Amino acid sequence: MLSKKIYSFFLIFIIIFVFNSKTNSKEIIIIAKVNNEIITNVDLENQIKYLLITSSNLKELSRKDLLELSKNSLIREILKKKEIKKFINVNKISNLEKKVIKQHYESLGFDNKSNYINFLQNEGISLELVKNKLITEQLWNTCLLYTSPSPRD
């Protein structure tokens, strides 16, 4: 009698666990591989969120166009990071993080970092992801500035 109750309890527990894990999990699919880095469907979704935050006119694009834009954007980002590492020691950058975050939240019309972080959380995007993208762009622009040939008079 007791063993039937224990068996029933474990059976119910396993069914609930399996059901919950399948409904809460999201399948991760590899979309592309660039320079030994993979781009997944999760990366694409995060990139779409980021792009929509930074450029509101993209909301008019179709889902298919947003996915393609995000994929190409992530590929360019991976390539930029590789080139940046050739010219800049990324580990030795100190004050850049605070500067790019502040510029970004001010450009979006936020008065302070706290409101900006709340906005990002509501949009389902992490501050860390945004920070990394902003730093990559800033470093890329710096590389372009210092590695481009100067115009001749």
Side-chain angles (χ1 to χ4, degrees):
M1 184 81 155
L2 186 61
S3 64
K4 283 186 178 183
K5 287 182 181 181
I6 293 173
Y7 176 76
S8 297
F9 173 76
F10 281 119
L11 185 61
I12 291 171
F13 177 76
I14 290 171
I15 290 171
I16 290 172
F17 178 75
V18 169
F19 178 73
N20 280 340
S21 65
K22 286 189 177 189
T23 58
N24 291 333
S25 65
K26 185 175 184 177
E27 185 177 5
I28 298 176
I29 301 167
I30 296 174
I31 305 298
K33 184 177 177 184
V34 181
N35 291 341
N36 292 326
E37 289 191 44
I38 59 170
I39 297 173
T40 68
N41 57 323
V42 175
D43 296 326
L44 283 180
E45 290 301 322
N46 286 332
Q47 186 68 9
I48 288 172
K49 291 174 188 176
Y50 174 75
L51 292 173
L52 290 174
I53 287 172
T54 57
S55 183
S56 60
N57 62 348
L58 295 178
K59 292 177 182 174
E60 299 169 9
L61 293 178
S62 70
R63 176 81 176 155
K64 180 181 175 184
D65 290 341
L66 273 174
L67 286 169
E68 189 65 27
L69 177 66
S70 295
K71 178 181 163 187
N72 292 335
S73 179
L74 287 168
I75 291 170
R76 283 191 306 275
E77 185 176 323
I78 290 169
L79 297 174
K80 286 177 182 179
K81 285 179 181 179
K82 181 180 178 187
E83 288 301 309
I84 288 167
K85 288 178 183 177
K86 291 180 183 178
F87 300 102
I88 298 173
N89 185 347
V90 180
N91 297 328
K92 292 190 177 182
I93 296 175
S94 56
N95 294 330
L96 187 58
E97 176 182 321
K98 290 179 184 178
K99 178 183 171 189
V100 295
I101 292 293
K102 184 174 183 187
Q103 287 175 342
H104 193 247
Y105 73 69
E106 287 177 346
S107 74
L108 294 175
F110 291 97
D111 296 332
N112 59 54
K113 187 176 177 181
S114 177
N115 290 340
Y116 175 68
I117 291 171
N118 288 335
F119 168 74
L120 292 177
Q121 288 173 343
N122 289 338
E123 294 297 318
I125 190 165
S126 73
L127 178 63
E128 191 69 23
L129 182 130
V130 172
K131 177 186 74 174
N132 289 335
K133 291 183 177 300
L134 294 173
I135 289 172
T136 298
E137 277 306 307
Q138 184 68 42
L139 293 176
W140 177 250
N141 292 337
T142 302
C143 281
L144 289 179
L145 180 67
Y146 290 109
T147 59
S148 298
S150 60
R152 297 185 184 225
D153 293 316

